[in-house]
Amino acid sequence: MALARIAAPSLAALALTLSLSACGETADDTVVAESEGGMAAAPADMDILEVRHENFEGIGDAFKVIRGELENSSPDFDAIQANARIITSNAVLISDHFPEGTGPADGADTEALDTIWERPEDFSAATEQMIQASQIMLAAADSRDAAQVQAAVKELGGACKNCHDQFRLDED
Ligand code: HEC
């Protein structure tokens, strides 16, 4: 379950999450773990926002490194490969990061649009396109051929844009 990967939750929230996943049904008994200042027990769901933010940041940073390498006359293909791996492994996690209840309509502080939950099949297709593009990138990195990596950058950039255009708040 994705919640186990939370980056830096409060210890109380983590303990609660762990005890909930460990005990399954007995949630009702455990929820009383001292909440500070009477805050509702929302954080368990909202921690996923941090997780998906970090996952996209990782993708964004890795993609930047790859594009930067292509500007060198002799690109570091080890770096390209390592970052292509990050993108590939983060891409397959995307679909776990958008549970019901974590969109703007639910009051979440997020750039995700409600269209994600309104058109789940289109969102899945966009995620699938991203996974495929990341695999093309990984193969290109393995080939150590700058032209292939360049083509893969185009493919991958298209996958980001396709999803962001439909499902992410356009902030600029
Ligand atoms: C399947 C949809 C999808 C794909 C594909 C996708 N993104 Fe995103 N991305 C999003 C959504 C939705 C958000 C907003 C997440 C949020 O605010 O909760 C986001 C946010 C981001 C962020 C900001 C981090 C954040 O959470 O605020 C970066 C950086 C980013 N994406 C980079 C990329 C790059 C680079 C690619 C392609 C290599 C990519 N994304 C592909 C949907 C996608």
Side-chain angles (χ1 to χ4, degrees):
M1 159 171 181
L3 287 173
R5 286 192 301 268
I6 296 163
S10 78
L11 284 178
L14 182 59
L16 182 59
T17 306
L18 293 177
S19 67
L20 288 181
S21 32
C23 330
E25 309 281 288
T26 62
D28 286 350
D29 300 338
T30 37
V31 180
V32 246
E34 324 185 34
S35 68
E36 296 142 18
M39 270 180 51
D45 255 4
M46 291 308 174
D47 285 336
I48 196 73
L49 297 178
E50 188 55 32
V51 175
R52 84 184 175 212
H53 175 79
E54 291 301 320
N55 193 55
F56 282 123
E57 287 290 328
I59 290 174
D61 291 348
F63 196 33
K64 211 172 284 171
V65 173
I66 293 174
R67 283 175 308 176
E69 284 301 330
L70 285 180
E71 283 166 21
N72 295 340
S73 49
S74 53
D76 177 347
F77 285 104
D78 289 337
I80 291 175
Q81 201 172 40
N83 284 283
R85 285 205 193 100
I86 291 173
I87 295 174
T88 310
S89 51
N90 286 23
V92 297
L93 299 177
I94 293 174
S95 60
D96 288 342
H97 293 165
F98 293 90
E100 291 282 349
T102 62
D106 311 293
D109 179 16
T110 176
E111 287 173 16
L113 295 181
D114 289 317
T115 47
I116 292 171
W117 295 273
E118 290 160 6
R119 298 194 278 116
E121 283 171 20
D122 293 340
F123 187 66
S124 290
T127 306
E128 193 50 43
Q129 180 181 339
M130 167 77 185
I131 291 170
Q132 281 176 17
S134 73
Q135 282 161 357
I136 290 169
M137 173 58 80
L138 194 54
D142 290 345
S143 79
R144 302 190 160 244
D145 177 272
Q148 277 199 44
V149 175
Q150 186 68 64
V153 162
K154 218 174 149 206
E155 193 83 26
L156 194 54
C160 318
K161 184 176 180 339
N162 172 56
C163 189
H164 289 172
D165 283 353
Q166 302 179 75
F167 301 112
R168 182 189 177 189
L169 187 67
D170 185 4
E171 55 186 2
D172 29 47

Coordinates of all heavy atoms in Angstrom, one line a residue, residues 113-162:
L113 N -6.2 18.3 -11.4 CA -7.5 18.8 -11.7 C -8.5 17.7 -11.4 O -8.2 16.5 -11.5 CB -7.6 19.1 -13.2 CG -6.7 20.3 -13.6 CD1 -6.9 20.6 -15.1 CD2 -7.1 21.6 -12.8
D114 N -9.7 18.1 -11.2 CA -10.8 17.1 -11.0 C -11.1 16.2 -12.2 O -11.7 15.1 -12.0 CB -12.1 17.8 -10.5 CG -12.0 18.4 -9.1 OD1 -11.4 17.7 -8.2 OD2 -12.4 19.6 -8.9
T115 N -10.6 16.6 -13.3 CA -10.8 15.8 -14.5 C -10.2 14.4 -14.3 O -10.6 13.5 -15.0 CB -10.1 16.5 -15.8 OG1 -8.8 16.9 -15.4 CG2 -11.0 17.7 -16.2
I116 N -9.2 14.3 -13.5 CA -8.5 13.0 -13.2 C -9.6 12.0 -12.7 O -9.6 10.8 -13.2 CB -7.4 13.1 -12.2 CG1 -6.2 13.9 -12.7 CG2 -6.9 11.7 -11.7 CD1 -5.2 14.3 -11.7
W117 N -10.5 12.4 -11.9 CA -11.5 11.5 -11.3 C -12.7 11.5 -12.1 O -13.5 10.6 -12.0 CB -11.7 11.9 -9.8 CG -10.5 11.7 -9.0 CD1 -10.1 10.6 -8.4 CD2 -9.5 12.7 -8.7 NE1 -8.9 10.7 -7.8 CE2 -8.5 12.0 -7.9 CE3 -9.3 14.0 -9.1 CZ2 -7.3 12.7 -7.5 CZ3 -8.1 14.7 -8.7 CH2 -7.2 14.0 -7.9
E118 N -12.9 12.5 -13.0 CA -14.1 12.6 -13.9 C -13.9 11.7 -15.1 O -14.8 11.2 -15.6 CB -14.3 14.0 -14.3 CG -14.9 14.9 -13.2 CD -14.7 16.4 -13.4 OE1 -14.3 16.8 -14.5 OE2 -14.9 17.2 -12.5
R119 N -12.6 11.6 -15.5 CA -12.3 10.9 -16.7 C -11.2 9.9 -16.5 O -10.1 10.0 -17.0 CB -11.9 11.8 -17.9 CG -13.0 12.8 -18.2 CD -12.7 13.5 -19.6 NE -11.8 14.6 -19.4 CZ -10.6 14.7 -20.0 NH1 -10.1 13.7 -20.7 NH2 -9.9 15.7 -19.9
P120 N -11.4 8.9 -15.6 CA -10.4 8.0 -15.2 C -9.7 7.2 -16.3 O -8.5 6.9 -16.3 CB -11.1 7.1 -14.2 CG -12.5 7.3 -14.3 CD -12.7 8.6 -14.9
E121 N -10.5 6.9 -17.3 CA -9.9 6.1 -18.4 C -8.9 6.9 -19.2 O -7.9 6.4 -19.6 CB -11.0 5.6 -19.3 CG -11.7 4.4 -18.7 CD -13.0 3.9 -19.4 OE1 -13.1 4.2 -20.6 OE2 -13.8 3.2 -18.8
D122 N -9.3 8.2 -19.4 CA -8.3 9.1 -20.1 C -7.0 9.3 -19.3 O -5.9 9.3 -19.8 CB -9.0 10.4 -20.4 CG -10.1 10.3 -21.4 OD1 -10.2 9.3 -22.1 OD2 -11.0 11.2 -21.4
F123 N -7.2 9.4 -18.0 CA -6.1 9.5 -17.1 C -5.2 8.3 -17.2 O -4.0 8.4 -17.2 CB -6.5 9.8 -15.7 CG -5.3 10.2 -14.8 CD1 -4.6 11.4 -15.0 CD2 -5.0 9.3 -13.7 CE1 -3.5 11.7 -14.2 CE2 -3.9 9.7 -12.9 CZ -3.2 10.8 -13.1
S124 N -5.8 7.1 -17.1 CA -5.1 5.9 -17.3 C -4.3 5.8 -18.6 O -3.1 5.4 -18.6 CB -6.0 4.7 -17.2 OG -6.5 4.5 -16.0
A125 N -5.0 6.3 -19.6 CA -4.3 6.2 -21.0 C -3.1 7.2 -20.9 O -2.0 6.8 -21.5 CB -5.3 6.7 -22.0
A126 N -3.2 8.3 -20.3 CA -2.1 9.3 -20.3 C -1.0 8.7 -19.4 O 0.2 8.9 -19.7 CB -2.6 10.6 -19.7
T127 N -1.3 8.0 -18.4 CA -0.3 7.3 -17.5 C 0.4 6.2 -18.3 O 1.6 6.1 -18.3 CB -0.9 6.7 -16.3 OG1 -1.7 7.8 -15.6 CG2 0.1 6.2 -15.3
E128 N -0.4 5.5 -19.1 CA 0.2 4.4 -19.9 C 1.1 4.9 -20.9 O 2.2 4.4 -21.2 CB -1.0 3.6 -20.5 CG -0.6 2.3 -21.2 CD 0.2 1.4 -20.2 OE1 -0.1 1.3 -19.0 OE2 1.2 0.8 -20.7
Q129 N 0.7 6.0 -21.6 CA 1.6 6.7 -22.6 C 3.0 7.1 -21.9 O 4.0 6.9 -22.5 CB 0.9 7.9 -23.1 CG 1.7 8.6 -24.2 CD 1.0 9.9 -24.7 OE1 -0.2 10.0 -24.6 NE2 1.8 10.8 -25.3
M130 N 2.9 7.6 -20.7 CA 4.1 8.0 -20.0 C 5.0 6.8 -19.7 O 6.2 6.8 -19.8 CB 3.6 8.7 -18.7 CG 4.7 8.9 -17.6 SD 5.8 10.2 -18.1 CE 7.0 10.1 -16.8
I131 N 4.4 5.7 -19.3 CA 5.1 4.5 -19.0 C 5.9 4.0 -20.2 O 7.1 3.7 -20.2 CB 4.2 3.4 -18.4 CG1 3.7 3.8 -17.0 CG2 4.9 2.0 -18.3 CD1 2.6 2.9 -16.4
Q132 N 5.1 4.0 -21.3 CA 5.8 3.5 -22.6 C 6.9 4.5 -23.0 O 8.0 4.0 -23.4 CB 4.7 3.4 -23.7 CG 3.9 2.2 -23.5 CD 2.8 2.1 -24.5 OE1 2.7 2.8 -25.5 NE2 1.8 1.2 -24.3
A133 N 6.6 5.8 -22.9 CA 7.7 6.7 -23.3 C 8.9 6.6 -22.4 O 10.0 6.7 -22.8 CB 7.1 8.1 -23.2
S134 N 8.7 6.2 -21.1 CA 9.8 6.1 -20.2 C 10.6 4.8 -20.6 O 11.9 4.8 -20.4 CB 9.4 6.0 -18.7 OG 8.7 4.8 -18.4
Q135 N 9.9 3.8 -21.1 CA 10.7 2.6 -21.5 C 11.4 2.9 -22.8 O 12.6 2.4 -23.0 CB 9.7 1.5 -21.7 CG 9.3 0.9 -20.3 CD 8.1 0.1 -20.2 OE1 7.4 -0.1 -21.3 NE2 7.8 -0.5 -19.1
I136 N 10.9 3.7 -23.7 CA 11.6 4.1 -24.9 C 12.9 4.9 -24.5 O 13.9 4.6 -25.0 CB 10.7 5.0 -25.8 CG1 9.6 4.1 -26.4 CG2 11.5 5.6 -26.9 CD1 8.5 4.8 -27.1
M137 N 12.7 5.7 -23.5 CA 13.9 6.5 -23.0 C 15.0 5.5 -22.4 O 16.1 5.7 -22.7 CB 13.4 7.5 -21.9 CG 14.6 8.2 -21.2 SD 15.6 9.1 -22.4 CE 14.6 10.6 -22.6
L138 N 14.5 4.6 -21.7 CA 15.5 3.6 -21.1 C 16.2 2.9 -22.2 O 17.5 2.7 -22.1 CB 14.8 2.7 -20.1 CG 15.6 1.9 -19.2 CD1 16.5 2.8 -18.4 CD2 14.7 1.1 -18.2
A139 N 15.5 2.4 -23.2 CA 16.1 1.7 -24.3 C 17.1 2.6 -25.0 O 18.2 2.2 -25.4 CB 15.1 1.2 -25.2
A140 N 16.7 3.9 -25.2 CA 17.6 4.8 -25.9 C 18.9 5.0 -25.1 O 20.0 5.1 -25.6 CB 16.9 6.1 -26.1
A141 N 18.7 5.1 -23.7 CA 19.8 5.4 -22.9 C 20.8 4.2 -23.0 O 22.0 4.3 -23.0 CB 19.4 5.5 -21.4
D142 N 20.2 3.0 -23.0 CA 21.1 1.8 -23.1 C 21.8 1.8 -24.4 O 22.9 1.2 -24.5 CB 20.2 0.5 -23.0 CG 19.6 0.3 -21.6 OD1 20.1 0.9 -20.7 OD2 18.6 -0.5 -21.5
S143 N 21.2 2.3 -25.5 CA 21.9 2.3 -26.8 C 23.1 3.3 -26.8 O 23.9 3.1 -27.7 CB 20.9 2.8 -27.9 OG 20.8 4.2 -27.9
R144 N 23.2 4.2 -25.9 CA 24.2 5.2 -25.9 C 24.4 5.9 -27.2 O 25.5 6.3 -27.6 CB 25.6 4.5 -25.5 CG 25.4 3.8 -24.1 CD 26.7 3.3 -23.5 NE 26.4 3.1 -22.1 CZ 27.0 3.8 -21.1 NH1 28.0 4.7 -21.4 NH2 26.7 3.6 -19.9
D145 N 23.3 6.2 -27.8 CA 23.2 6.9 -29.0 C 22.5 8.2 -28.8 O 21.3 8.2 -28.4 CB 22.6 6.1 -30.1 CG 22.4 6.8 -31.4 OD1 21.4 7.5 -31.6 OD2 23.4 6.7 -32.2
A146 N 23.2 9.4 -28.9 CA 22.6 10.6 -28.6 C 21.3 10.9 -29.4 O 20.4 11.5 -28.9 CB 23.6 11.8 -28.7
A147 N 21.3 10.6 -30.7 CA 20.2 10.8 -31.5 C 19.0 10.1 -31.0 O 17.8 10.6 -31.0 CB 20.5 10.5 -33.0
Q148 N 19.2 8.8 -30.6 CA 18.1 8.1 -30.0 C 17.6 8.7 -28.7 O 16.3 8.7 -28.5 CB 18.5 6.6 -29.8 CG 18.5 5.7 -31.0 CD 18.5 4.3 -30.6 OE1 17.7 3.9 -29.7 NE2 19.3 3.5 -31.3
V149 N 18.5 9.1 -27.9 CA 18.0 9.7 -26.6 C 17.3 11.0 -27.0 O 16.2 11.3 -26.3 CB 19.2 10.0 -25.7 CG1 18.8 10.8 -24.5 CG2 20.0 8.7 -25.3
Q150 N 17.7 11.7 -27.9 CA 17.0 13.0 -28.3 C 15.6 12.7 -28.8 O 14.7 13.4 -28.4 CB 17.8 13.7 -29.5 CG 17.3 15.0 -29.9 CD 17.5 16.1 -28.8 OE1 18.6 16.4 -28.4 NE2 16.4 16.6 -28.2
A151 N 15.5 11.6 -29.6 CA 14.1 11.3 -30.0 C 13.2 10.8 -28.8 O 12.1 11.2 -28.8 CB 14.2 10.1 -31.1
A152 N 13.9 10.2 -27.9 CA 13.1 9.7 -26.7 C 12.7 10.9 -25.8 O 11.6 10.8 -25.2 CB 14.0 8.7 -25.9
V153 N 13.5 11.9 -25.8 CA 13.2 13.1 -25.0 C 11.9 13.7 -25.6 O 11.0 14.1 -24.9 CB 14.4 14.1 -25.1 CG1 13.9 15.5 -24.7 CG2 15.5 13.7 -24.2
K154 N 11.9 13.7 -26.9 CA 10.7 14.3 -27.6 C 9.4 13.5 -27.2 O 8.4 14.1 -26.9 CB 10.9 14.3 -29.1 CG 10.4 15.5 -29.7 CD 10.7 15.6 -31.2 CE 9.6 16.3 -32.0 NZ 9.5 15.9 -33.3
E155 N 9.6 12.2 -27.3 CA 8.5 11.3 -27.0 C 8.0 11.5 -25.5 O 6.8 11.6 -25.2 CB 9.0 9.9 -27.1 CG 7.9 8.8 -27.2 CD 7.3 8.7 -28.6 OE1 8.0 9.0 -29.6 OE2 6.2 8.2 -28.6
L156 N 9.0 11.5 -24.6 CA 8.7 11.7 -23.2 C 8.1 13.0 -22.9 O 7.1 13.1 -22.2 CB 10.0 11.4 -22.4 CG 9.8 11.2 -20.9 CD1 8.9 10.0 -20.6 CD2 11.2 10.9 -20.3
G157 N 8.6 14.0 -23.5 CA 8.1 15.4 -23.3 C 6.6 15.5 -23.8 O 5.8 16.1 -23.1
G158 N 6.4 14.8 -24.8 CA 5.0 14.7 -25.3 C 4.0 14.1 -24.3 O 2.9 14.5 -24.2
A159 N 4.6 13.0 -23.6 CA 3.7 12.3 -22.7 C 3.4 13.2 -21.5 O 2.3 13.2 -20.9 CB 4.4 11.0 -22.2
C160 N 4.4 14.0 -21.0 CA 4.2 14.9 -19.9 C 3.1 15.9 -20.3 O 2.2 16.2 -19.6 CB 5.5 15.8 -19.5 SG 7.0 14.9 -19.5
K161 N 3.4 16.5 -21.5 CA 2.5 17.6 -21.9 C 1.0 17.1 -22.1 O 0.1 17.7 -21.7 CB 3.0 18.2 -23.3 CG 2.2 19.4 -23.7 CD 2.9 20.0 -25.0 CE 2.1 21.2 -25.5 NZ 0.7 21.4 -25.2
N162 N 0.9 15.9 -22.7 CA -0.4 15.3 -22.9 C -1.2 15.2 -21.6 O -2.4 15.6 -21.5 CB -0.3 14.0 -23.6 CG -1.6 13.2 -23.7 OD1 -2.6 13.8 -24.2 ND2 -1.7 12.1 -23.1

